[in-house]
């Protein structure tokens, strides 16, 4: 169930999710791909047949992706809007909004009764196009808190206006020395969001430094989404995009080489199988040739014996002629 980010600046906070063959889905619940908005990773959760509480409505939720990997005590305050797109001009799309503090205990939030299922599936309703349903979510992250970091705030150190852990200080200082203009246009003032974006940047750099063999295509897709989000908020990362492009190119060559290697292995396997068959056939031919050569020698001997003149030593052979 893939989705897509908008290309225009106004769409940077939006994610579109097209659910294929909505009416015929048998799954109880489905998830969108993960996406990044405001430096935070999200995904959508839908119940195509409704959940157990409201089985006659589409249930739709926004979920913090990979929440189990976040630090203990994390919290994320966000306002978001769901829109079920109507494709018939003049008909209204269905839009609902809410605001929520996401946390460990409640990592998802949304609407159990987003929209009646019979209304979505009704003929000429305009919501389904060739059986596909389009949902758009728009998210505004208001605040990000990590309680664990707040409790040890005294151990956080400031590097060029960013609060980082002592273990990150040397690396972040080196980053600003090599790229002094990296954050001169960074617009976010909230310190917790700034820390979050810096951590995303450091993770992105670490991803780019890995061997292409260790990076999956999904990792690269996520890296480009994260890079786009970082640059949208003012980070100057031309150098990092260049490196990411190089890694992506190497990954494509590695995958192409691996595909070709497998093709060659299959071709070689087929050839060896054919050679094995040819060798067996050749062995039969050799045996046949050997048999024929033996028969030929025997036949030559018989022919020679048949045409050989009688020997004068044969007793009495010529007596009757004299």
């Amino acid at each position: 169930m893939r989705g897509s980010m908008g290309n225009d600046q106004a769409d940077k906070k939006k994610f579109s999710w097209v659910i294929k063959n909505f009416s015929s889905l048998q799954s109880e619940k489905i998830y969108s791909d993960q996406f990044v908005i405001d430096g935070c990773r999200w995904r959508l959760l839908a119940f195509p047949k409704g959940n157990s509480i409201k089985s006659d409505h589409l249930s739709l939720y926004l979920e913090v992706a990979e929440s189990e990997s976040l630090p203990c005590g994390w919290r994320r305050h966000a306002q978001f809007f769901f829109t079920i797109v109507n494709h018939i001009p003049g008909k209204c799309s269905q839009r609902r909004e809410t605001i929520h503090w996401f946390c460990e205990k409640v990592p998802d939030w949304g609407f159990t009764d987003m929209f009646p299922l019979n209304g979505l599936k009704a003929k000429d309703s305009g919501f389904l196009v060739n059986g596909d349903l389009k949902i758009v979510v728009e998210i505004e992250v208001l605040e990000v808190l990590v309680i664990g970091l707040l409790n040890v705030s005294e151990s956080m150190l400031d590097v060029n206006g960013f609060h980082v852990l002592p273990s990150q200080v040397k690396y972040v200082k080196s980053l600003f020395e090599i790229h002094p203009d990296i954050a001169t246009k960074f617009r976010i003032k909230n310190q917790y969001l700034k820390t979050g974006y810096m951590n995303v940047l450091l993770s992105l750099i670490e991803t780019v430094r890995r061997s292409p063999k260790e990076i999956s295509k999904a990792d690269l897709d996520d890296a480009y989404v994260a890079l786009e989000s970082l640059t949208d908020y003012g980070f100057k990362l031309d150098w990092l995009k260049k490196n990411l492009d190089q890694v992506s190119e190497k990954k494509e060559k590695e995958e192409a080489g691996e595909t070709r290697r497998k093709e060659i292995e299959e071709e070689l396997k087929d050839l060896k199988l054919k050679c094995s068959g040819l060798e067996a056939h050749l062995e039969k031919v050799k045996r046949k040739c050997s048999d024929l050569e033996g028969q030929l020698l025997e036949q030559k001997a018989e022919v020679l014996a048949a045409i050989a003149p009688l020997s004068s030593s044969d007793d009495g052979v010529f007596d009757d002629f004299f």
Side-chain angles (χ1 to χ4, degrees):
M1 298 294 174
R2 299 194 66 82
S4 62
M5 298 292 292
N7 293 322
D8 298 329
Q9 186 65 29
D11 291 339
K12 299 303 181 182
K13 295 179 181 290
K14 294 181 180 179
F15 175 80
S16 297
W17 184 23
V18 176
I19 303 176
K20 299 290 186 180
N21 303 314
F22 178 81
S23 297
S24 59
L25 286 175
Q26 299 300 315
S27 303
E28 178 184 348
K29 61 181 178 180
I30 54 175
Y31 292 93
S32 73
D33 287 344
Q34 295 184 17
F35 56 94
V36 176
I37 290 180
D38 280 346
C40 300
R41 192 177 297 277
W42 309 90
R43 67 176 178 176
L44 299 181
L45 165 63
F47 290 79
K49 298 180 180 181
N51 62 23
S52 58
I53 301 174
K54 200 82 172 177
S55 59
D56 59 345
H57 281 65
L58 169 68
S59 299
L60 185 62
Y61 306 90
L62 176 64
E63 179 179 277
V64 175
E66 300 178 3
S67 59
E68 66 280 356
S69 66
L70 295 175
C72 181
W74 67 270
R75 298 183 69 199
R76 188 182 296 177
H77 196 203
Q79 181 180 18
F80 57 97
F81 308 80
F82 285 138
T83 301
I84 302 178
V85 178
N86 193 302
H87 299 273
I88 296 179
K91 285 196 173 184
C92 294
S93 297
Q94 296 300 313
R95 178 180 172 91
R96 297 186 68 175
E97 65 178 275
T98 186
I99 189 169
H100 179 66
W101 270 104
F102 295 86
C103 61
E104 291 177 82
K105 292 184 178 180
V106 190
D108 60 71
W109 195 255
F111 301 96
T112 301
D113 55 349
M114 180 64 195
F115 196 71
L117 291 173
N118 56 7
L120 289 177
K121 299 177 181 180
K123 185 178 180 181
D124 299 328
S125 67
F127 292 108
L128 298 182
V129 177
N130 297 323
D132 299 345
L133 179 69
K134 183 176 181 180
I135 296 171
V136 178
V137 61
E138 182 178 355
I139 305 171
E140 181 72 36
V141 177
L142 305 175
E143 194 170 2
V144 176
L145 299 177
V146 182
I147 304 302
L149 292 180
L150 291 177
N151 291 337
V152 294
S153 59
E154 293 181 359
S155 66
M156 300 289 284
L157 301 175
D158 184 282
V159 178
N160 286 56
F162 290 86
H163 290 179
V164 298
L165 294 170
S167 60
Q168 298 173 320
V169 170
K170 183 177 179 180
Y171 187 81
V172 175
K173 280 185 176 181
S174 175
L175 184 62
F176 277 102
E177 289 172 1
I178 299 172
H179 305 284
D181 60 345
I182 187 174
T184 53
K185 296 183 179 180
F186 189 68
R187 301 192 302 274
I188 292 179
K189 304 303 180 183
N190 182 290
Q191 192 55 245
Y192 299 109
L193 283 176
K194 289 180 69 174
T195 299
Y197 272 100
M198 177 55 70
N199 286 329
V200 171
L201 174 58
L202 297 179
S203 297
L204 179 57
I205 294 173
E206 187 61 31
T207 298
V208 173
R209 292 174 62 184
R210 290 162 59 193
S211 166
K213 194 171 184 64
E214 299 175 349
I215 303 176
S216 67
K217 185 67 169 60
D219 291 335
L220 287 173
D221 290 342
D222 289 344
Y224 275 108
V225 171
L227 179 65
E228 183 180 20
S229 180
L230 291 169
T231 53
D232 285 344
Y233 283 96
F235 275 115
K236 185 175 176 57
L237 301 172
D238 296 346
W239 54 275
L240 187 55
K241 183 180 184 305
K242 181 179 179 181
N243 291 337
L244 184 56
D245 289 342
Q246 290 176 348
V247 172
S248 181
E249 183 179 351
K250 288 182 178 180
K251 183 63 180 178
E252 289 180 2
K253 290 182 178 179
E254 184 243 330
E255 289 182 344
E258 184 65 17
T259 299
R260 182 55 185 153
R261 181 189 66 79
K262 291 180 179 179
E263 290 175 351
I264 292 174
E265 283 183 347
E266 287 298 318
E267 290 177 10
L268 186 59
K269 182 179 177 181
D270 291 341
L271 286 174
K272 284 183 176 180
L273 188 60
K274 290 178 181 179
C275 286
S276 177
L278 289 173
E279 287 173 356
H281 180 68
L282 182 60
E283 190 62 33
K284 289 181 180 180
V285 171
K286 286 181 177 179
R287 288 198 299 269
K288 184 66 175 177
C289 288
S290 180
D291 291 342
L292 290 174
E293 287 175 350
Q295 294 177 26
L296 181 60
L297 290 174
E298 291 177 1
Q299 193 63 33
K300 282 183 176 180
E302 292 178 6
V303 171
L304 289 174
I307 66 173
L310 295 176
S311 173
S312 59
S313 61
D314 293 335
D315 294 336
V317 173
F318 297 101
D319 291 347
D320 294 338
F321 293 94
F322 299 97

